Amino acid sequence: MQVIDGNAIAKSIIEELTHAVGGLSGKPPAVAFIRVGEDPASISYVRKKQKTAEQIGIQSSLHRLPEDVSKEELFEKIDALNADDAVHGILVQAPLPAHIDETETFNRVAPDKDVDGFNTVNIGRLCQEDERGFVACTPAGIVELIQRSGIETEGRHVVILGRSQIVGKPAALLMMRKAVPGNATVTLCHSRTRDLAAITRQADILIAAIGRPNFVTADMVQDGVAVIDVGINRVEDASRPRGYRLVGDVDFAAVAPKAAQITPVPGGVGPMTVAMLMKNTYQAYRASHI
Ligand code: GUN
């Protein structure tokens, strides 16, 4: 059994990008972050993304707007960044306040600067296997982990748990692409799926993205399965200084002995998302220089 080291794989992607960006001349790749309000998790996510950008040599800027900002003001800011040729990628950090529609906001970002891959145009491009598209960072990270861990996908059965817009659905589209990795037989399961365990037991590759701690148990997988655990769930743990610990959607201790490969939580898919955001920013920069 191999525990897939997401930290190490993310680190090699960051090193590759650092090398590529180091060889560029002229204005560097640049990404702009928009953060509305003071949500502590958003502050920490954006800080991490900016720090990684800086490490690579990607320029970043942070545009902070108050919690009560109007939709019009937010959209003016997005429009200004869309029009700025020195900005290659734009990311509006979610969650947004309730009075601002997230889908409408993501669609305001120019598709060719949408490094989050949340724009309707980019979801369409993914569906049509158009390589100009940006793929959302978490599903893109899953694919990269699978590829760099040497897990074959062609002709194999990939079972995905969860139909979310930003993980399950795009992961299914990626796995069924006529590409490497891809060419898989995909089954997408969700909360209404009947006899779930009978389906998950047929998985050669199981991708769990449902947000329920330790949901996948040993009896739900076959021997030799590759398990990608996308869940990040807090469970109470009085022995930890913070009073909780992070667990995935998979009962790691029980499932790992049956698996050929498995991602841990933390340290699996998580670190890949920031690396893929940087890769998307570099892709946006390259596309703007053709
Ligand atoms: N909030 C939590 N994750 C994400 C993400 O990947 N992108 C954006 N824009 N906001 C988020």
mmCIF file with all atom_site columns, all heavy atoms in Angstrom, residues 34 42 45 49 91-95 106 116 118 136-138 166 273 277, ligand 1:
data_model
loop_
_atom_site.group_PDB
_atom_site.id
_atom_site.type_symbol
_atom_site.label_atom_id
_atom_site.label_alt_id
_atom_site.label_comp_id
_atom_site.label_asym_id
_atom_site.label_entity_id
_atom_site.label_seq_id
_atom_site.pdbx_PDB_ins_code
_atom_site.Cartn_x
_atom_site.Cartn_y
_atom_site.Cartn_z
_atom_site.occupancy
_atom_site.B_iso_or_equiv
_atom_site.pdbx_formal_charge
_atom_site.auth_seq_id
_atom_site.auth_comp_id
_atom_site.auth_asym_id
_atom_site.auth_atom_id
_atom_site.pdbx_PDB_model_num
ATOM   1   N N   . ILE A 1 34  ? -9.579  38.953 -5.047  1.00 0.00 ? 34  ILE A N   1
ATOM   2   C CA  . ILE A 1 34  ? -10.590 39.844 -4.471  1.00 0.00 ? 34  ILE A CA  1
ATOM   3   C C   . ILE A 1 34  ? -11.169 39.134 -3.252  1.00 0.00 ? 34  ILE A C   1
ATOM   4   O O   . ILE A 1 34  ? -11.613 37.977 -3.349  1.00 0.00 ? 34  ILE A O   1
ATOM   5   C CB  . ILE A 1 34  ? -11.716 40.162 -5.482  1.00 0.00 ? 34  ILE A CB  1
ATOM   6   C CG1 . ILE A 1 34  ? -11.140 40.867 -6.720  1.00 0.00 ? 34  ILE A CG1 1
ATOM   7   C CG2 . ILE A 1 34  ? -12.795 41.011 -4.824  1.00 0.00 ? 34  ILE A CG2 1
ATOM   8   C CD1 . ILE A 1 34  ? -12.174 41.156 -7.806  1.00 0.00 ? 34  ILE A CD1 1
ATOM   9   N N   . SER A 1 42  ? -11.180 32.602 4.764   1.00 0.00 ? 42  SER A N   1
ATOM   10  C CA  . SER A 1 42  ? -10.834 33.240 3.490   1.00 0.00 ? 42  SER A CA  1
ATOM   11  C C   . SER A 1 42  ? -9.529  34.016 3.610   1.00 0.00 ? 42  SER A C   1
ATOM   12  O O   . SER A 1 42  ? -8.694  33.986 2.706   1.00 0.00 ? 42  SER A O   1
ATOM   13  C CB  . SER A 1 42  ? -11.950 34.187 3.037   1.00 0.00 ? 42  SER A CB  1
ATOM   14  O OG  . SER A 1 42  ? -13.096 33.450 2.693   1.00 0.00 ? 42  SER A OG  1
ATOM   15  N N   . TYR A 1 45  ? -6.768  31.411 3.550   1.00 0.00 ? 45  TYR A N   1
ATOM   16  C CA  . TYR A 1 45  ? -6.604  30.801 2.215   1.00 0.00 ? 45  TYR A CA  1
ATOM   17  C C   . TYR A 1 45  ? -5.898  31.754 1.254   1.00 0.00 ? 45  TYR A C   1
ATOM   18  O O   . TYR A 1 45  ? -4.971  31.386 0.548   1.00 0.00 ? 45  TYR A O   1
ATOM   19  C CB  . TYR A 1 45  ? -7.958  30.418 1.601   1.00 0.00 ? 45  TYR A CB  1
ATOM   20  C CG  . TYR A 1 45  ? -8.605  29.177 2.180   1.00 0.00 ? 45  TYR A CG  1
ATOM   21  C CD1 . TYR A 1 45  ? -9.982  29.128 2.376   1.00 0.00 ? 45  TYR A CD1 1
ATOM   22  C CD2 . TYR A 1 45  ? -7.854  28.048 2.496   1.00 0.00 ? 45  TYR A CD2 1
ATOM   23  C CE1 . TYR A 1 45  ? -10.596 27.991 2.895   1.00 0.00 ? 45  TYR A CE1 1
ATOM   24  C CE2 . TYR A 1 45  ? -8.467  26.911 3.015   1.00 0.00 ? 45  TYR A CE2 1
ATOM   25  C CZ  . TYR A 1 45  ? -9.837  26.891 3.216   1.00 0.00 ? 45  TYR A CZ  1
ATOM   26  O OH  . TYR A 1 45  ? -10.443 25.778 3.717   1.00 0.00 ? 45  TYR A OH  1
ATOM   27  N N   . LYS A 1 49  ? -2.289  31.454 -0.714  1.00 0.00 ? 49  LYS A N   1
ATOM   28  C CA  . LYS A 1 49  ? -2.176  31.534 -2.171  1.00 0.00 ? 49  LYS A CA  1
ATOM   29  C C   . LYS A 1 49  ? -1.173  32.616 -2.566  1.00 0.00 ? 49  LYS A C   1
ATOM   30  O O   . LYS A 1 49  ? -0.362  32.427 -3.478  1.00 0.00 ? 49  LYS A O   1
ATOM   31  C CB  . LYS A 1 49  ? -3.554  31.816 -2.798  1.00 0.00 ? 49  LYS A CB  1
ATOM   32  C CG  . LYS A 1 49  ? -4.536  30.651 -2.650  1.00 0.00 ? 49  LYS A CG  1
ATOM   33  C CD  . LYS A 1 49  ? -5.978  31.042 -3.021  1.00 0.00 ? 49  LYS A CD  1
ATOM   34  C CE  . LYS A 1 49  ? -6.946  29.910 -2.707  1.00 0.00 ? 49  LYS A CE  1
ATOM   35  N NZ  . LYS A 1 49  ? -8.358  30.285 -2.955  1.00 0.00 ? 49  LYS A NZ  1
ATOM   36  N N   . LEU A 1 91  ? -9.128  35.901 -9.095  1.00 0.00 ? 91  LEU A N   1
ATOM   37  C CA  . LEU A 1 91  ? -9.841  34.955 -8.235  1.00 0.00 ? 91  LEU A CA  1
ATOM   38  C C   . LEU A 1 91  ? -10.662 35.724 -7.211  1.00 0.00 ? 91  LEU A C   1
ATOM   39  O O   . LEU A 1 91  ? -10.120 36.555 -6.483  1.00 0.00 ? 91  LEU A O   1
ATOM   40  C CB  . LEU A 1 91  ? -8.829  34.040 -7.515  1.00 0.00 ? 91  LEU A CB  1
ATOM   41  C CG  . LEU A 1 91  ? -9.406  32.949 -6.634  1.00 0.00 ? 91  LEU A CG  1
ATOM   42  C CD1 . LEU A 1 91  ? -8.516  31.716 -6.656  1.00 0.00 ? 91  LEU A CD1 1
ATOM   43  C CD2 . LEU A 1 91  ? -9.595  33.415 -5.191  1.00 0.00 ? 91  LEU A CD2 1
ATOM   44  N N   . VAL A 1 92  ? -11.970 35.502 -7.235  1.00 0.00 ? 92  VAL A N   1
ATOM   45  C CA  . VAL A 1 92  ? -12.847 36.092 -6.225  1.00 0.00 ? 92  VAL A CA  1
ATOM   46  C C   . VAL A 1 92  ? -13.065 35.023 -5.159  1.00 0.00 ? 92  VAL A C   1
ATOM   47  O O   . VAL A 1 92  ? -13.668 33.982 -5.429  1.00 0.00 ? 92  VAL A O   1
ATOM   48  C CB  . VAL A 1 92  ? -14.200 36.523 -6.826  1.00 0.00 ? 92  VAL A CB  1
ATOM   49  C CG1 . VAL A 1 92  ? -15.038 37.223 -5.766  1.00 0.00 ? 92  VAL A CG1 1
ATOM   50  C CG2 . VAL A 1 92  ? -14.006 37.426 -8.046  1.00 0.00 ? 92  VAL A CG2 1
ATOM   51  N N   . GLN A 1 93  ? -12.545 35.274 -3.973  1.00 0.00 ? 93  GLN A N   1
ATOM   52  C CA  . GLN A 1 93  ? -12.593 34.251 -2.936  1.00 0.00 ? 93  GLN A CA  1
ATOM   53  C C   . GLN A 1 93  ? -14.028 34.060 -2.433  1.00 0.00 ? 93  GLN A C   1
ATOM   54  O O   . GLN A 1 93  ? -14.713 35.022 -2.097  1.00 0.00 ? 93  GLN A O   1
ATOM   55  C CB  . GLN A 1 93  ? -11.662 34.657 -1.775  1.00 0.00 ? 93  GLN A CB  1
ATOM   56  C CG  . GLN A 1 93  ? -11.547 33.637 -0.659  1.00 0.00 ? 93  GLN A CG  1
ATOM   57  C CD  . GLN A 1 93  ? -10.817 32.360 -1.068  1.00 0.00 ? 93  GLN A CD  1
ATOM   58  O OE1 . GLN A 1 93  ? -9.999  32.356 -1.985  1.00 0.00 ? 93  GLN A OE1 1
ATOM   59  N NE2 . GLN A 1 93  ? -11.122 31.269 -0.399  1.00 0.00 ? 93  GLN A NE2 1
ATOM   60  N N   . ALA A 1 94  ? -14.472 32.817 -2.384  1.00 0.00 ? 94  ALA A N   1
ATOM   61  C CA  . ALA A 1 94  ? -15.777 32.478 -1.812  1.00 0.00 ? 94  ALA A CA  1
ATOM   62  C C   . ALA A 1 94  ? -15.554 32.081 -0.349  1.00 0.00 ? 94  ALA A C   1
ATOM   63  O O   . ALA A 1 94  ? -14.446 31.666 0.002   1.00 0.00 ? 94  ALA A O   1
ATOM   64  C CB  . ALA A 1 94  ? -16.391 31.335 -2.609  1.00 0.00 ? 94  ALA A CB  1
ATOM   65  N N   . PRO A 1 95  ? -16.524 32.173 0.536   1.00 0.00 ? 95  PRO A N   1
ATOM   66  C CA  . PRO A 1 95  ? -17.901 32.590 0.274   1.00 0.00 ? 95  PRO A CA  1
ATOM   67  C C   . PRO A 1 95  ? -18.051 34.104 0.170   1.00 0.00 ? 95  PRO A C   1
ATOM   68  O O   . PRO A 1 95  ? -17.297 34.845 0.777   1.00 0.00 ? 95  PRO A O   1
ATOM   69  C CB  . PRO A 1 95  ? -18.642 32.064 1.521   1.00 0.00 ? 95  PRO A CB  1
ATOM   70  C CG  . PRO A 1 95  ? -17.614 32.050 2.606   1.00 0.00 ? 95  PRO A CG  1
ATOM   71  C CD  . PRO A 1 95  ? -16.299 31.761 1.929   1.00 0.00 ? 95  PRO A CD  1
ATOM   72  N N   . PHE A 1 106 ? -18.797 34.936 -10.449 1.00 0.00 ? 106 PHE A N   1
ATOM   73  C CA  . PHE A 1 106 ? -17.772 34.151 -11.149 1.00 0.00 ? 106 PHE A CA  1
ATOM   74  C C   . PHE A 1 106 ? -17.889 34.354 -12.667 1.00 0.00 ? 106 PHE A C   1
ATOM   75  O O   . PHE A 1 106 ? -16.890 34.343 -13.379 1.00 0.00 ? 106 PHE A O   1
ATOM   76  C CB  . PHE A 1 106 ? -17.887 32.657 -10.806 1.00 0.00 ? 106 PHE A CB  1
ATOM   77  C CG  . PHE A 1 106 ? -17.645 32.343 -9.345  1.00 0.00 ? 106 PHE A CG  1
ATOM   78  C CD1 . PHE A 1 106 ? -18.399 31.381 -8.674  1.00 0.00 ? 106 PHE A CD1 1
ATOM   79  C CD2 . PHE A 1 106 ? -16.659 33.012 -8.630  1.00 0.00 ? 106 PHE A CD2 1
ATOM   80  C CE1 . PHE A 1 106 ? -18.171 31.087 -7.336  1.00 0.00 ? 106 PHE A CE1 1
ATOM   81  C CE2 . PHE A 1 106 ? -16.425 32.736 -7.275  1.00 0.00 ? 106 PHE A CE2 1
ATOM   82  C CZ  . PHE A 1 106 ? -17.189 31.773 -6.631  1.00 0.00 ? 106 PHE A CZ  1
ATOM   83  N N   . ASP A 1 116 ? -9.834  30.130 -11.450 1.00 0.00 ? 116 ASP A N   1
ATOM   84  C CA  . ASP A 1 116 ? -10.598 29.229 -10.583 1.00 0.00 ? 116 ASP A CA  1
ATOM   85  C C   . ASP A 1 116 ? -11.366 28.178 -11.385 1.00 0.00 ? 116 ASP A C   1
ATOM   86  O O   . ASP A 1 116 ? -11.782 27.156 -10.843 1.00 0.00 ? 116 ASP A O   1
ATOM   87  C CB  . ASP A 1 116 ? -11.639 30.052 -9.806  1.00 0.00 ? 116 ASP A CB  1
ATOM   88  C CG  . ASP A 1 116 ? -11.391 30.079 -8.318  1.00 0.00 ? 116 ASP A CG  1
ATOM   89  O OD1 . ASP A 1 116 ? -10.692 29.187 -7.816  1.00 0.00 ? 116 ASP A OD1 1
ATOM   90  O OD2 . ASP A 1 116 ? -11.909 31.000 -7.666  1.00 0.00 ? 116 ASP A OD2 1
ATOM   91  N N   . PHE A 1 118 ? -14.377 28.524 -12.490 1.00 0.00 ? 118 PHE A N   1
ATOM   92  C CA  . PHE A 1 118 ? -15.777 28.493 -12.034 1.00 0.00 ? 118 PHE A CA  1
ATOM   93  C C   . PHE A 1 118 ? -16.728 29.124 -13.048 1.00 0.00 ? 118 PHE A C   1
ATOM   94  O O   . PHE A 1 118 ? -17.942 29.055 -12.894 1.00 0.00 ? 118 PHE A O   1
ATOM   95  C CB  . PHE A 1 118 ? -15.915 29.253 -10.706 1.00 0.00 ? 118 PHE A CB  1
ATOM   96  C CG  . PHE A 1 118 ? -15.294 28.564 -9.513  1.00 0.00 ? 118 PHE A CG  1
ATOM   97  C CD1 . PHE A 1 118 ? -15.202 29.226 -8.291  1.00 0.00 ? 118 PHE A CD1 1
ATOM   98  C CD2 . PHE A 1 118 ? -14.828 27.259 -9.593  1.00 0.00 ? 118 PHE A CD2 1
ATOM   99  C CE1 . PHE A 1 118 ? -14.646 28.609 -7.180  1.00 0.00 ? 118 PHE A CE1 1
ATOM   100 C CE2 . PHE A 1 118 ? -14.266 26.629 -8.482  1.00 0.00 ? 118 PHE A CE2 1
ATOM   101 C CZ  . PHE A 1 118 ? -14.182 27.314 -7.276  1.00 0.00 ? 118 PHE A CZ  1
ATOM   102 N N   . ALA A 1 136 ? -11.219 23.770 -12.561 1.00 0.00 ? 136 ALA A N   1
ATOM   103 C CA  . ALA A 1 136 ? -11.226 24.139 -11.140 1.00 0.00 ? 136 ALA A CA  1
ATOM   104 C C   . ALA A 1 136 ? -10.098 23.403 -10.407 1.00 0.00 ? 136 ALA A C   1
ATOM   105 O O   . ALA A 1 136 ? -9.767  22.260 -10.724 1.00 0.00 ? 136 ALA A O   1
ATOM   106 C CB  . ALA A 1 136 ? -12.587 23.814 -10.526 1.00 0.00 ? 136 ALA A CB  1
ATOM   107 N N   . CYS A 1 137 ? -9.525  24.096 -9.430  1.00 0.00 ? 137 CYS A N   1
ATOM   108 C CA  . CYS A 1 137 ? -8.239  23.644 -8.859  1.00 0.00 ? 137 CYS A CA  1
ATOM   109 C C   . CYS A 1 137 ? -8.317  22.299 -8.138  1.00 0.00 ? 137 CYS A C   1
ATOM   110 O O   . CYS A 1 137 ? -7.371  21.509 -8.223  1.00 0.00 ? 137 CYS A O   1
ATOM   111 C CB  . CYS A 1 137 ? -7.702  24.723 -7.926  1.00 0.00 ? 137 CYS A CB  1
ATOM   112 S SG  . CYS A 1 137 ? -7.454  26.279 -8.803  1.00 0.00 ? 137 CYS A SG  1
ATOM   113 N N   . THR A 1 138 ? -9.409  22.019 -7.444  1.00 0.00 ? 138 THR A N   1
ATOM   114 C CA  . THR A 1 138 ? -9.463  20.742 -6.725  1.00 0.00 ? 138 THR A CA  1
ATOM   115 C C   . THR A 1 138 ? -9.561  19.556 -7.690  1.00 0.00 ? 138 THR A C   1
ATOM   116 O O   . THR A 1 138 ? -8.735  18.637 -7.611  1.00 0.00 ? 138 THR A O   1
ATOM   117 C CB  . THR A 1 138 ? -10.593 20.736 -5.686  1.00 0.00 ? 138 THR A CB  1
ATOM   118 O OG1 . THR A 1 138 ? -10.369 21.822 -4.787  1.00 0.00 ? 138 THR A OG1 1
ATOM   119 C CG2 . THR A 1 138 ? -10.628 19.437 -4.897  1.00 0.00 ? 138 THR A CG2 1
ATOM   120 N N   . ILE A 1 166 ? -18.056 22.017 -8.037  1.00 0.00 ? 166 ILE A N   1
ATOM   121 C CA  . ILE A 1 166 ? -16.613 22.310 -8.070  1.00 0.00 ? 166 ILE A CA  1
ATOM   122 C C   . ILE A 1 166 ? -15.731 21.078 -7.868  1.00 0.00 ? 166 ILE A C   1
ATOM   123 O O   . ILE A 1 166 ? -14.533 21.167 -8.073  1.00 0.00 ? 166 ILE A O   1
ATOM   124 C CB  . ILE A 1 166 ? -16.199 23.444 -7.104  1.00 0.00 ? 166 ILE A CB  1
ATOM   125 C CG1 . ILE A 1 166 ? -16.544 23.093 -5.665  1.00 0.00 ? 166 ILE A CG1 1
ATOM   126 C CG2 . ILE A 1 166 ? -16.835 24.756 -7.496  1.00 0.00 ? 166 ILE A CG2 1
ATOM   127 C CD1 . ILE A 1 166 ? -15.903 24.067 -4.685  1.00 0.00 ? 166 ILE A CD1 1
ATOM   128 N N   . THR A 1 273 ? -4.416  21.935 -4.408  1.00 0.00 ? 273 THR A N   1
ATOM   129 C CA  . THR A 1 273 ? -5.302  22.961 -4.969  1.00 0.00 ? 273 THR A CA  1
ATOM   130 C C   . THR A 1 273 ? -4.548  24.278 -5.196  1.00 0.00 ? 273 THR A C   1
ATOM   131 O O   . THR A 1 273 ? -4.713  24.906 -6.237  1.00 0.00 ? 273 THR A O   1
ATOM   132 C CB  . THR A 1 273 ? -6.548  23.180 -4.089  1.00 0.00 ? 273 THR A CB  1
ATOM   133 O OG1 . THR A 1 273 ? -6.116  23.563 -2.794  1.00 0.00 ? 273 THR A OG1 1
ATOM   134 C CG2 . THR A 1 273 ? -7.376  21.930 -3.975  1.00 0.00 ? 273 THR A CG2 1
ATOM   135 N N   . LEU A 1 277 ? -3.770  26.202 -8.768  1.00 0.00 ? 277 LEU A N   1
ATOM   136 C CA  . LEU A 1 277 ? -4.114  27.610 -9.011  1.00 0.00 ? 277 LEU A CA  1
ATOM   137 C C   . LEU A 1 277 ? -2.921  28.325 -9.645  1.00 0.00 ? 277 LEU A C   1
ATOM   138 O O   . LEU A 1 277 ? -3.083  29.129 -10.577 1.00 0.00 ? 277 LEU A O   1
ATOM   139 C CB  . LEU A 1 277 ? -4.510  28.289 -7.693  1.00 0.00 ? 277 LEU A CB  1
ATOM   140 C CG  . LEU A 1 277 ? -4.766  29.783 -7.797  1.00 0.00 ? 277 LEU A CG  1
ATOM   141 C CD1 . LEU A 1 277 ? -6.007  30.064 -8.633  1.00 0.00 ? 277 LEU A CD1 1
ATOM   142 C CD2 . LEU A 1 277 ? -4.903  30.414 -6.413  1.00 0.00 ? 277 LEU A CD2 1
HETATM 143 N N1  . GUN B 2 .   ? -13.283 29.257 -1.208  1.00 0.00 ? 1   GUN B N1  1
HETATM 144 C C1  . GUN B 2 .   ? -12.913 28.020 -0.823  1.00 0.00 ? 1   GUN B C1  1
HETATM 145 N N2  . GUN B 2 .   ? -12.271 27.398 -1.839  1.00 0.00 ? 1   GUN B N2  1
HETATM 146 C C2  . GUN B 2 .   ? -12.240 28.260 -2.860  1.00 0.00 ? 1   GUN B C2  1
HETATM 147 C C3  . GUN B 2 .   ? -11.703 28.202 -4.185  1.00 0.00 ? 1   GUN B C3  1
HETATM 148 O O1  . GUN B 2 .   ? -11.123 27.217 -4.638  1.00 0.00 ? 1   GUN B O1  1
HETATM 149 N N3  . GUN B 2 .   ? -11.859 29.314 -4.937  1.00 0.00 ? 1   GUN B N3  1
HETATM 150 C C4  . GUN B 2 .   ? -12.497 30.412 -4.488  1.00 0.00 ? 1   GUN B C4  1
HETATM 151 N N4  . GUN B 2 .   ? -12.616 31.439 -5.307  1.00 0.00 ? 1   GUN B N4  1
HETATM 152 N N5  . GUN B 2 .   ? -13.014 30.502 -3.285  1.00 0.00 ? 1   GUN B N5  1
HETATM 153 C C5  . GUN B 2 .   ? -12.879 29.430 -2.473  1.00 0.00 ? 1   GUN B C5  1
#
